[in-house]
Amino acid sequence: MKFPNYLISSLAVVGAFSLIIMACSADNSNTTNNVVSTIGKYQITSSPNSNLGKFHVIDTETGVVKTFEKTTSSGNYVLISTTVTQ
């Protein structure tokens, strides 16, 4: 007994859709882990005396604290010290 053409065509369409769905739902965990690991990496604190124009940047992964100070001539911030806490 031969199957009618519409039945064969409908099975082919269902098979093609199932392949597309399987390909789109593949686990791509490498990119999501990289994105999640960088959230909350740095903490920024200001100096208690705000007139100095200093702030500190703490890298929570490596424990490095960098201190920046505002220059009076150009108004830009420059790195004045780096401290490793770990």
Side-chain angles (χ1 to χ4, degrees):
M1 177 177 157
K2 287 181 107 179
F3 285 117
N5 283 339
Y6 68 90
L7 183 60
I8 293 174
S9 299
S10 63
L11 289 176
V13 169
V14 169
F17 279 131
S18 65
L19 288 176
I20 291 171
I21 291 171
M22 286 175 43
C24 292
S25 66
D27 185 22
N28 195 4
S29 60
N30 291 339
T31 57
T32 57
N33 288 341
N34 292 338
V35 172
V36 171
S37 66
T38 60
I39 295 175
K41 183 176 177 182
Y42 298 102
Q43 292 181 355
I44 300 174
T45 61
S46 62
S47 176
N49 186 359
S50 60
N51 295 335
L52 295 176
K54 285 186 182 180
F55 68 93
H56 309 283
V57 178
I58 305 165
D59 185 347
T60 58
E61 281 187 4
T62 61
V64 175
V65 179
K66 294 183 178 184
T67 304
F68 294 88
E69 185 175 34
K70 190 174 188 176
T71 61
T72 55
S73 60
S74 65
N76 295 332
Y77 286 94
V78 293
L79 177 67
I80 58 170
S81 68
T82 302
T83 307
V84 180
T85 59
Q86 292 182 353

